Amino acid sequence: HSALKIALFFCAGALLCRTEETSLGVQEYVYQYTGYAKKTPVIFAVFTIASVGLIGIPPLCGFSSKWAIAQAAVLQGTPLAITGCVALAISAFLTGLYLLSVVMEGYFPPNDFDESKLAEITDPGMRMKASLWLVTAIGLGLIFFMPLLQRILASYGASLI
């Protein structure tokens, strides 16, 4: 979760850096990034991957953590645990709603969108792109270590009881 969230913040920072040097001025709100995916494909690719992972779509690591929480809640079977499952589903839906709306606007601007105003916008340099891909790879790579991490935490938790 945290690595993917960091990737989203890196994307926001990269977009801020890319827009402050233009005649548009700093574009600091996500609703201002309509149509930017064509001009900043790396930033929007990372943003899309991190968004999908954070929402919890399988097989990305955001899913495995949500699944583990939901399984534990169902095993408890108490009304509070079931309420937690419902809250988890609602939060995943709301996360999808606000993140995917940015992705959709970035890739599919409205028909009346004037693309010429983005003429100065470009992807960042190689170092910034490398850091975007690195943090995304860490976030995605964690899916392979989740079973091991869960076993370690379960055995540690059992030793505390």
Side-chain angles (χ1 to χ4, degrees), residues 11-67:
C11 289
L15 286 168
L16 282 170
C17 287
R18 300 315 301 158
T19 59
E20 76 177 347
E21 302 164 358
T22 66
S23 60
L24 292 172
V26 174
Q27 304 287 291
E28 57 187 31
Y29 301 106
V30 292
Y31 67 82
Q32 295 173 309
Y33 297 132
T34 299
Y36 274 52
K38 282 185 182 177
K39 294 299 203 167
T40 58
V42 171
I43 294 173
F44 263 85
V46 168
F47 190 92
T48 303
I49 293 166
S51 295
V52 169
L54 202 60
I55 293 164
I57 297 175
L60 302 177
C61 61
F63 171 76
S64 61
S65 59
K66 285 177 175 56
W67 184 252

Side-chain angles (χ1 to χ4, degrees), residues 97-120:
L97 199 61
Y98 78 80
L99 288 176
L100 293 180
S101 67
V102 175
V103 170
M104 294 302 288
E105 283 284 319
Y107 284 105
F108 307 108
N111 290 336
D112 61 346
F113 178 71
D114 181 16
E115 198 173 313
S116 66
K117 71 178 187 173
L118 302 180
E120 301 172 70

Side-chain angles (χ1 to χ4, degrees), residues 20 38 51 58 71 94 98 121 124 143 146 155:
E20 76 177 347
K38 282 185 182 177
S51 295
Q71 280 182 318
L94 292 175
Y98 78 80
I121 306 295
I143 187 67
M146 287 308 262
S155 66

